[in-house]
């Protein structure tokens, strides 16, 4: 192309450069607009704002309490106390483990509360880990998906159901029969939920009421036993050893591995206290409700478990408890209410309670698996996401069924229950450690976040230390290993194997295969024929090439005449400004140092009273090369405007609270791109077009599809009347202010196209351009029409 100096004499001589205009077709009127229109599946930074489910906020305080406490109450209260006493050997140490477990659970709940109040979105740990650890891309999401699929089984309550049914009917509990009955229960429940959806809900509601009734009955029974101490027929079995302090600790096993496995079982018993975090989008007054419900459920669970343990110890001899395995509740009922009621009816109610828990957990985890499939994180996601053929999550049920059956069938029957609890608990400590460390990290890195609830830092640190101890403890040999049993660290090895599988799966799926195939994973919305909305992870070729049409253009060097060009008069303005930040290598440092000085610069130049910087991009690669890392993008040789008019306005409510956004939109709103060289520009300089030389009919909206949202920019049709400008050799001591949008329509410049261009005289050994551009919302609230 030909270009001129300020006197319009040729600048680039006969070697022509060209401005490339996009060859595009205007999208249909139904296309979504605005790069900041509300994201379809949520933007990580938006997680600090409450989000309402399409179902509405239908969960009140009572319902929220039931969601939390009902998930806590399962087989744990009926089976775990006997297992723990058997492991640790003494009453004193058993009760101590329950108390320590309650303290640890309280510390973990404090972490969940701070996260939940700070990020009031459905999803629980998935949201928290994705927000805290956004890099590497897809890593947190993949690990959560692997955890949910491989460890999201409900085998433990199937085992409890089988054991209690055998006990009730006085049938010899052989290994095959116990496992067969457990698998049969899971199979029947899977079929019911997968075929007769509404009937399944009615059945699980009925069993849920039985479970609640059993819990209430246990509470009254505990008071009865502890307060009235009824006489037992076999007085010779009275617990004489409990009358002295030394007797409480007789037989204690202080082995670290033993204590760790016992704590995992306590954690399992308390699992569900943070269940409300998973459905925050549907909770009324979510932050206040989360705080009060979680603390109330914690106190309730602690009191209930304390009473249950005291009841068992007061009625059932210790030797019988140790031999009972998971049947301690059955022995308690039999000794308290006699061989008929106590041995038959009440243990049968416990079995039905366990079955009800299996139904509820199967129903919930099947939905979770379906959601993971809908997000594109499972193979055959399109099929697993579908609700066909019975309008039920059959794919999610199958994903849940397979690992559950394997966990029931493969381990030895005598150790399957403990093994299940330990395998579930071990990887959970890794995620507990990640959220705890992440909470401390966010306190330091993101002090700007509102925290309606703040966890006590010593409690968080205590949880971190204990997580490390529990992760190491399983590899210490037990004091009294069981002959012929599983290797003492089997569950930890399996847990580590599952975590490593998640890492390998992520590495192969998101790193190795894309590199070998030269593509990039991108998220694309789709709708199945049954109406299910899903996200498809597509393979986009690793290129940003778009159809363009090169045209020769005349570019004027403004050197020496920079002051003639202004934001309102031309849409761009050069300004002398020395920044404190020099290297632009660390995003956090850029935000802490460069953002504030850029805000002040914009206030000084425009007279605005409020500035909100919403992103920045650093370019250090050759032209048109891009990367997900903003530090490795190259200049864009394509004429464009960063936002369309509607897209620009939509950024205000997208980034700011609704009330503040509505007030600011009454005044003048601008989006200004502050463009600065990091090194003196010698290659791919930036050209801008005078705003008044580009007609509205030259602008073409172009949808942009991002991983989490849809956006829209303006491409520009070529016209000979376009007047282009640049400054040769722009230095880091200068900035170019580019007006991307102005809400004023009184004749001043509203937007300005810009592009990098190739100077044919540039030598091959000239280094690539390095620059940073900061985009900001600029507000003039007093400037109203």
């Amino acid at each position: 192309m030909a270009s001129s100096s300020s006197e319009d004499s040729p600048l680039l001589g006969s070697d022509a450069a060209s401005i490339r205009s996009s060859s595009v077709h205007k999208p249909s009127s139904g296309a979504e607009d605005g790069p900041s229109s509300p994201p379809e599946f949520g933007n990580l930074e938006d997680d600090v704002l409450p989000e309402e489910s399409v179902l509405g906020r239908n969960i009140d305080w009572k319902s929220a309490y039931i969601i939390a406490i009902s998930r806590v109450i399962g087989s744990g209260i009926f089976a775990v106390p006997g297992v723990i006493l058997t492991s640790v050997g003494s009453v004193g140490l058993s009760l101590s483990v329950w108390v320590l477990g309650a303290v640890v659970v309280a510390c973990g709940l404090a972490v969940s509360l701070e996260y939940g109040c700070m990020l009031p979105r459905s999803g629980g740990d998935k949201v928290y880990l994705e927000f805290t650890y956004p890099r590497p891309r897809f890593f947190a999401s993949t690990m959560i998906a692997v955890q949910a699929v491989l460890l999201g089984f409900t085998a433990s309550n199937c085992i409890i159901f089988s054991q209690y049914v055998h006990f009730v009917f006085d049938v010899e509990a052989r290994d095959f029969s116990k496992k067969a009955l457990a698998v049969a229960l899971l199979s029947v429940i899977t079929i019911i939920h997968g075929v007769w959806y509404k009937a399944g809900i009615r059945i699980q509601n009925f069993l849920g009421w039985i479970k609640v009734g059993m819990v209430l009955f246990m509470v009254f029974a505990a008071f009865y036993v502890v307060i009235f101490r009824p006489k037992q027929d076999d007085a010779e079995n009275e617990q004489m050893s409990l009358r002295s302090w030394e007797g409480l600790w007789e037989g204690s096993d202080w082995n670290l591995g033993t204590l760790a496995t016992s704590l995992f079982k306590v954690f399992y018993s308390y699992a569900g206290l943070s269940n409300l975090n998973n459905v925050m989008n549907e909770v009324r007054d979510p932050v206040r409700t989360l705080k009060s419900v979680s603390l109330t459920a914690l106190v309730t669970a602690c009191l209930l478990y304390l009473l249950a343990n005291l009841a068992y110890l007061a009625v059932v001899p210790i030797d019988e408890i140790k031999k009972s395995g998971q049947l301690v509740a059955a022995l308690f009922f039999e000794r308290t209410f006699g061989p008929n009621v106590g041995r038959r009816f009440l243990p049968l109610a416990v079995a039905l309670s366990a079955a009800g828990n299996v139904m509820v957990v199967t129903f919930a985890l099947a939905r979770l698996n379906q959601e993971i499939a809908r997000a594109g994180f499972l193979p055959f996601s399109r099929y697993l996401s579908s609700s066909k053929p019975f309008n039920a999550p059959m794919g999610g049920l199958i994903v849940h069924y397979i690992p559950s059956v394997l966990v029931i069938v493969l381990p030895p029957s005598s150790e399957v229950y403990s093994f299940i609890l330990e395998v579930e608990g071990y990887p959970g400590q890794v995620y507990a450690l990640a959220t705890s460390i992440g909470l401390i990290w966010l306190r330091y890195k993101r002090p700007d976040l509102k925290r309606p609830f703040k966890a006590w830092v010593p409690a968080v640190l205590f949880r971190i230390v204990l997580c490390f101890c529990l992760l190491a403890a399983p590899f210490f040999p037990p004091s009294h290993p069981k002959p012929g049993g599983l290797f003492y660290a089997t569950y930890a090895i399996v847990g580590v194997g599952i975590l490593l599988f998640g890492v390998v799966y992520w590495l192969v799926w998101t790193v190795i295969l894309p590199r070998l195939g030269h593509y990039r994973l991108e998220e694309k919305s789709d709708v199945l024929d049954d109406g299910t909305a899903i996200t498809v992870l597509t393979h986009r070729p690793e290129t940003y090439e778009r159809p363009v049409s090169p045209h020769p253009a005349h570019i004027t060097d403004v050197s020496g005449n920079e002051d003639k060009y202004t934001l309102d008069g031309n849409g761009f303005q050069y300004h002398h400004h020395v920044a404190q930040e020099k290297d632009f290598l660390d995003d956090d440092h850029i935000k802490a140092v460069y953002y504030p000085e850029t805000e002040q610069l914009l206030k000084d130049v425009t007279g605005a009273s409020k500035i909100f910087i919403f992103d920045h991009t650093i370019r250090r690669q050759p032209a048109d090369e891009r990367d997900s890392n903003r530090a490795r993008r190259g200049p864009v040789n394509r004429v464009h405007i960063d936002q369309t008019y509607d897209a620009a306005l939509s950024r205000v409510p997208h980034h700011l609270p609704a009330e503040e956004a509505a007030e600011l939109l009454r005044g003048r709103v601008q989006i200004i791109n502050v463009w600065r060289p990091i090194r003196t520009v010698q290659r791919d300089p930036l050209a801008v077009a005078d705003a008044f030389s580009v007609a509205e009919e030259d602008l073409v909206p172009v949808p942009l599809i991002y991983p989490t949202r849809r956006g829209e920019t303006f491409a520009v049709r070529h016209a000979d009347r376009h007047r282009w400008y640049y400054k040769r050799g722009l230095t880091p001591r200068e900035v170019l202010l580019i007006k991307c949008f102005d809400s004023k329509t009184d004749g001043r410049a509203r937007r300005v196209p810009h592009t990098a261009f190739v100077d044919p005289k540039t030598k091959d050994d000239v280094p690539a351009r390095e620059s940073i551009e900061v985009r900001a919302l600029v507000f003039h609230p007093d400037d109203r029409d």
Side-chain angles (χ1 to χ4, degrees):
M1 89 178 172
S3 178
S4 67
S5 67
S6 56
E7 290 83 11
D8 276 350
S9 58
L11 174 66
L12 301 178
S14 59
D15 295 323
S18 63
I19 296 289
R20 294 194 290 172
S21 298
S22 298
S23 299
V24 298
H25 298 286
K26 190 169 183 177
S28 63
S29 58
E32 291 187 45
D33 56 7
S36 56
S37 47
E40 204 162 336
F41 294 98
N43 184 294
L44 284 180
E45 282 300 314
D46 295 334
D47 288 341
V48 300
L49 302 175
E51 180 183 42
E52 184 171 327
S53 168
V54 294
L55 302 175
R57 296 195 180 275
N58 301 310
I59 300 177
D60 58 11
W61 195 95
K62 293 179 181 178
S63 299
Y65 176 75
I66 292 298
I67 287 174
I69 198 64
S70 180
R71 179 66 179 87
V72 174
I73 300 169
S75 63
I77 192 172
F78 304 117
V80 170
V83 177
I84 291 179
L85 181 58
T86 303
S87 298
V88 300
S90 71
V91 172
L93 188 53
S94 174
L95 294 176
S96 299
V97 167
W98 279 98
V99 172
L100 177 60
V103 173
V104 176
V105 168
C107 295
L109 183 62
V111 173
S112 295
L113 277 175
E114 179 165 335
Y115 265 118
C117 294
M118 180 172 60
L119 310 173
R121 295 291 185 95
S122 291
D125 284 348
K126 179 179 183 294
V127 173
Y128 312 150
L129 291 174
E130 287 175 344
F131 184 87
T132 309
Y133 306 103
R135 295 288 183 272
R137 186 170 179 248
F138 293 136
F139 181 74
S141 302
T142 302
M143 295 301 292
I144 289 292
V146 169
Q147 166 86 355
V149 173
L150 297 186
L151 295 180
F153 40 72
T154 179
S156 55
N157 279 288
C158 294
I159 297 296
I160 294 301
F161 171 84
S162 178
Q163 290 182 335
Y164 270 83
V165 169
H166 280 80
F167 179 85
V168 167
F169 295 101
D170 202 17
V171 177
E172 182 181 356
R174 296 186 177 182
D175 187 78
F176 174 79
S177 63
K178 282 197 295 186
K179 291 182 177 180
L181 185 57
V183 172
L185 172 69
L186 182 62
S187 301
V188 170
I189 289 175
T190 300
I191 293 172
I192 290 173
H193 278 318
V195 179
W196 299 289
Y197 173 73
K198 293 183 178 179
I201 293 177
R202 287 193 290 267
I203 294 173
Q204 74 180 24
N205 287 343
F206 171 73
L207 294 177
W209 282 112
I210 290 180
K211 180 169 64 174
V212 172
M214 280 297 301
V215 172
L216 294 175
F217 185 81
M218 282 290 300
V219 171
F220 288 116
F223 276 114
Y224 172 75
V225 172
V226 172
I227 296 175
F228 295 103
R229 295 299 301 270
K231 281 189 174 183
Q232 303 296 324
D233 294 335
D234 51 347
E236 65 275 10
N237 286 329
E238 185 178 358
Q239 301 302 298
M240 300 298 295
S241 61
L242 300 184
R243 293 181 177 179
S244 65
W245 175 258
E246 291 78 9
L248 284 174
W249 304 94
E250 184 178 346
S252 297
D253 184 353
W254 294 92
N255 178 265
L256 191 57
T258 301
L259 295 177
T261 58
S262 299
L263 279 172
F264 287 145
K265 296 179 179 69
V266 173
F267 300 156
Y268 167 81
S269 299
Y270 281 103
L273 284 174
S274 59
N275 203 35
L276 192 61
N277 295 60
N278 294 319
V279 294
M280 288 290 281
N281 290 1
E282 301 175 46
V283 178
R284 297 174 187 171
D285 195 1
V287 173
R288 182 177 298 178
T289 301
L290 178 66
K291 289 192 291 185
S292 60
V293 163
S294 298
L295 296 176
T296 304
L298 174 65
V299 173
T300 304
C302 290
L303 179 63
L304 180 63
Y305 287 165
L306 175 63
L307 290 173
N309 274 279
L310 292 177
Y312 295 145
L313 294 171
V315 174
V316 184
I318 293 178
D319 289 340
E320 291 190 21
I321 294 178
K322 291 181 179 180
K323 296 176 183 178
S324 68
Q326 293 86 43
L327 297 175
V328 61
L331 294 179
F332 167 79
F333 288 135
E334 182 178 5
R335 296 181 66 86
T336 304
F337 301 102
N340 293 321
V341 175
R343 184 176 179 85
R344 303 296 182 201
F345 296 103
L346 295 177
L348 184 60
V350 173
L352 291 176
S353 174
N357 186 276
V358 174
M359 289 204 75
V360 171
V361 175
T362 299
F363 182 83
L365 292 183
R367 289 293 181 187
L368 175 60
N369 291 336
Q370 188 182 42
E371 290 302 311
I372 293 173
R374 287 182 59 206
F377 288 101
L378 290 179
F380 312 108
S381 290
R382 184 174 293 273
Y383 301 101
L384 297 177
S385 302
S386 176
S387 295
K388 285 187 172 184
F390 301 107
N391 196 31
M394 182 60 79
L397 287 165
I398 293 173
V399 171
H400 171 262
Y401 179 81
I402 294 174
S404 296
V405 169
L406 292 177
V407 171
I408 292 173
V409 172
L410 294 181
S413 182
S414 59
E415 301 183 34
V416 63
Y417 184 77
S418 295
F419 179 76
I420 290 171
L421 303 192
E422 292 158 4
V423 167
E424 288 185 65
Y426 191 81
Q429 293 305 304
V430 175
Y431 295 102
L433 182 64
T435 53
S436 300
I437 293 176
L439 194 73
I440 300 296
W441 174 253
L442 288 177
R443 290 273 189 99
Y444 169 71
K445 300 300 290 186
R446 296 298 302 272
D448 56 306
L449 297 177
K450 294 182 179 179
R451 293 173 170 84
F453 180 93
K454 296 188 72 173
W456 191 39
V457 173
V460 181
L461 295 176
F462 171 73
R463 190 194 192 204
I464 292 173
V465 172
L466 192 63
C467 284
F468 278 115
C469 294
L470 291 175
L471 290 172
F475 298 98
F476 289 84
S479 304
H480 308 288
K482 294 182 180 180
L486 291 173
F487 177 59
Y488 59 85
T490 299
Y491 73 92
I493 295 173
V494 172
V496 171
I498 290 173
L499 294 171
L500 290 176
F501 172 79
V503 173
V504 173
Y505 181 66
W506 168 82
L507 191 64
V508 171
W509 174 54
T510 68
V511 179
I512 297 177
L513 291 181
R515 287 185 180 177
L516 293 177
H518 302 288
Y519 64 83
R520 174 180 169 83
L521 287 174
E522 293 291 359
E523 294 168 297
K524 177 183 177 182
S525 300
D526 197 1
V527 179
L528 301 179
D529 54 7
D530 65 349
T532 303
I534 65 171
T535 296
V536 180
L537 292 175
T538 59
H539 296 178
R540 192 196 65 192
E542 192 76 291
T543 176
Y544 279 76
E545 293 183 4
R546 302 173 190 170
V548 294
S549 175
H551 295 273
H554 195 80
I555 304 180
T556 299
D557 181 9
V558 302
S559 298
N561 296 282
E562 299 93 334
D563 294 342
K564 293 181 179 179
Y565 305 94
T566 65
L567 284 169
D568 286 343
N570 308 91
F572 63 92
Q573 182 171 332
Y574 292 91
H575 190 82
H576 182 82
H577 182 265
V578 179
Q580 298 179 41
E581 176 67 35
K582 304 296 183 183
D583 297 321
F584 299 97
L585 297 175
D586 183 277
D587 272 3
D588 293 326
H589 194 261
I590 291 171
K591 292 176 181 178
V593 176
Y594 189 61
Y595 274 24
E597 58 181 330
T598 301
E599 290 179 9
Q600 189 58 51
L601 167 65
L602 287 170
K603 288 181 179 180
D604 293 341
V605 173
T606 66
S609 59
K610 179 178 177 62
I611 307 293
F612 182 89
I613 295 175
F614 55 83
D615 73 4
H616 71 273
T617 301
I618 298 174
R619 305 191 186 275
R620 286 193 166 96
Q621 291 279 39
D624 281 340
E625 288 194 16
R626 301 186 64 176
D627 191 280
S628 59
N629 186 333
R630 291 179 299 185
R632 297 198 298 267
R633 293 184 179 178
V636 179
N637 284 346
R638 189 178 305 107
V639 180
H640 65 283
I641 300 173
D642 291 349
Q643 288 91 16
T644 60
Y645 299 135
D646 290 339
L649 286 173
S650 69
R651 277 211 176 266
V652 181
H654 181 72
H655 292 296
L656 300 173
E659 292 184 4
E660 182 183 7
E663 182 63 26
L664 291 171
L665 284 171
R666 295 179 182 177
R668 183 185 182 190
V669 179
Q670 300 171 293
I671 292 182
I672 295 179
N673 182 337
V674 181
W675 192 91
R676 178 191 298 273
I678 297 175
R679 305 285 181 265
T680 298
V681 177
Q682 302 180 57
R683 179 188 294 276
D684 301 311
L686 189 69
V688 288
D690 187 284
F692 294 103
S693 70
V694 181
E696 290 295 323
E697 56 267 24
D698 297 338
L699 306 180
V700 182
V702 178
L704 297 178
I705 311 301
Y706 293 101
T708 57
R709 61 182 173 88
R710 293 173 62 91
E712 191 176 71
T713 65
F714 273 136
V716 181
R717 292 191 181 94
H718 170 73
D720 291 335
R721 65 178 176 277
H722 295 170
R723 298 193 302 273
W724 288 94
Y725 303 89
Y726 90 116
K727 182 177 180 181
R728 187 179 185 85
L730 202 65
T731 72
R733 304 171 68 88
E734 301 167 281
V735 295
L736 171 58
L737 305 179
I738 305 169
K739 185 185 288 189
C740 300
F741 170 76
D742 197 325
S743 62
K744 282 292 184 180
T745 57
D746 56 0
R748 65 188 89 189
R750 295 194 68 196
R751 75 290 180 273
V752 58
H754 55 280
T755 181
F757 69 95
V758 177
D759 182 347
K761 293 184 177 180
T762 302
K763 297 181 180 179
D764 293 338
D765 60 350
V766 171
R769 192 188 83 193
E770 297 184 49
S771 61
I772 178 172
E773 52 206 71
V774 174
R775 284 169 284 273
L777 287 163
V778 179
F779 298 103
H780 307 259
D782 297 329
D783 187 359
R784 304 189 179 188
D785 292 329

